[in-house]
Amino acid sequence: MRRAVALAARGALTTPPNPDVGCVVLDAAGRVVGEGWHERPGGPHAEVVALRSAGDAARGGTAVVTLEPCDHTGRTGPCTSALIEAGVRRVVIAVADPNPVAAGGAATLRAHGIDVELGVLQDDAERMNARWLTPFRTRRPFVVWKFAATLDGRSAAADGTSRWITGAQARADVHRLRASVDTVVAGVGTVVADDPQLTARPADEHVPPGQPLRVVVDSDGRTPATARVRDGSAPTWIATADEVGAGADGRVDLAKLLSMLDERGQRYVLLEGGPTLAGAFWRAGLVDRVVGYVAPALLGAGDAVLACAGVTTIGEAIRLDVSDVAVVGGDIRITATPREHRKA
């Protein structure tokens, strides 16, 4: 199952909005004879890829899969049928499928005489696939806060300049990340100050084409008519307090905003707003993952990467569990999860 989880993670940038799934097939003697992962929407599911790799050796064997095999026909056929036809004797599953459209695979397999075991390395598989599981369990999109900062935590210099804190390779990595989500959220302060386009321009040919929905959190409706987010290159929603509803502070109610996005079918949000909006998301407990790009540079003054997050003493610090650290060009990318959100 650990191998299946690792395989599933390979599709992180290309499978959205589908889940990340990995599968390992063992023959009747317990030897690995096939592996696979879901690579892209519309492509074969992990079980099908692994079974094709295994061929006749799968008969009488075991399929180990990170998510309950689907039991419906969408762009591809049901994985339960593929497993039954392959003649596997046993299926080991990490996480039950919360999607009512696709769920029921375990029951179908059992009805055909296949031994099914659920819950193996469930926590590991849930952490890996939290991006997909969270909307089904919380009725809001999964939120990733992305930031770029200097080593001393500055997002801009004292004169307000912020281009470019990180190098070209880190910026290209951000575009791959942006291309994997269905929604990008920024605050009106960032739009007014920096006039970002907020489109995905990945150089990686393996990243699916298309643009995420651009959402500007603009309580008072002051996004300029000439702002690049209004350029028509991607769908855009200027979310005002009048439309969404206001919180206690009179600004856009962020929980309601995410609920409205969920109702629109948006499941995966990249938060790219400035420090004020990021702080508001943290205060509301609406951040599920952090992807930080840290440049080996010092400014000593200027805007901090995060404004008030509701922390007043060291005991209230938001603690994160680091899941990945990578060197990207001359910068460091850190991926982490808030401890209270470790399980989706």
Side-chain angles (χ1 to χ4, degrees):
M1 186 62 79
R2 287 190 179 91
R3 175 61 178 166
V5 170
L7 289 168
R10 294 185 181 184
L13 289 177
T14 57
T15 57
N18 288 5
D20 301 326
V21 184
C23 180
V24 176
V25 175
L26 312 175
D27 66 12
R31 296 177 296 238
V32 173
V33 291
E35 294 184 340
W37 68 93
H38 185 45
E39 295 187 26
R40 65 186 186 281
H45 289 188
E47 299 93 322
V48 172
V49 175
L51 289 169
R52 287 176 181 170
S53 175
D56 291 339
R59 191 161 299 278
T62 299
V64 179
V65 62
T66 57
L67 184 68
E68 182 180 11
C70 65
D71 197 38
H72 80 300
T73 299
R75 281 184 280 187
T76 61
C79 290
T80 50
S81 296
L83 291 162
I84 292 165
E85 291 168 6
V88 300
R89 174 181 58 83
R90 182 168 177 252
V91 176
V92 179
I93 302 166
V95 181
D97 194 333
N99 183 355
V101 175
T108 295
L109 294 171
R110 289 185 177 121
H112 282 79
I114 296 174
D115 180 32
V116 177
E117 183 177 356
L118 273 167
V120 175
L121 287 186
Q122 180 175 334
D123 287 352
D124 290 23
E126 287 190 345
R127 280 194 293 271
M128 179 276 303
N129 212 11
R131 177 269 308 170
W132 185 79
L133 291 167
T134 295
F136 289 104
R137 297 175 175 179
T138 64
R139 306 314 308 171
R140 66 163 178 81
F142 185 81
V143 177
V144 176
W145 175 46
K146 185 277 296 181
F147 70 85
T150 57
L151 197 58
D152 56 343
R154 303 293 176 179
S155 62
D159 64 356
T161 55
S162 60
R163 295 184 181 180
W164 296 101
I165 286 176
T166 55
Q169 287 180 260
R171 297 197 298 274
D173 198 65
V174 169
H175 279 287
R176 286 191 291 272
L177 175 61
R178 198 181 283 169
S180 74
V181 306
D182 57 39
T183 309
V184 174
V185 174
V188 66
T190 296
V191 170
V192 170
D194 299 334
D195 195 23
Q197 193 174 23
L198 298 179
T199 53
R201 302 181 294 278
D204 190 341
E205 62 181 10
H206 299 294
V207 176
Q211 292 295 337
L213 170 68
R214 301 179 291 194
V215 178
V216 179
V217 181
D218 184 359
S219 297
D220 302 318
R222 57 190 182 93
T223 300
T226 56
R228 291 205 297 164
V229 292
R230 297 185 184 270
D231 65 6
S233 61
T236 301
W237 178 25
I238 310 299
T240 65
D242 285 343
E243 181 180 4
V244 176
D249 59 359
R251 299 182 180 277
V252 169
D253 184 324
L254 298 178
K256 182 65 183 302
L257 173 70
L258 293 183
S259 177
M260 292 174 71
L261 286 171
D262 181 74
E263 291 170 1
R264 294 183 178 204
Q266 307 300 116
R267 303 286 187 261
Y268 194 8
V269 166
L270 184 63
L271 174 61
E272 295 205 54
T276 300
L277 184 62
F281 266 82
W282 279 109
R283 290 196 305 275
L286 297 173
V287 178
D288 301 296
R289 181 178 295 158
V290 178
V291 178
Y293 295 85
V294 180
L298 301 171
L299 288 174
D303 291 339
V305 73
L306 181 65
C308 177
V311 175
T312 57
T313 181
I314 193 66
E316 297 172 347
I318 301 167
R319 301 292 180 177
L320 309 175
D321 289 324
V322 176
S323 58
D324 183 68
V325 178
V327 175
V328 182
D331 305 303
I332 297 172
R333 184 189 66 211
I334 300 172
T335 304
T337 304
R339 288 183 181 172
E340 60 270 30
H341 292 312
R342 277 183 295 179
K343 289 187 68 175

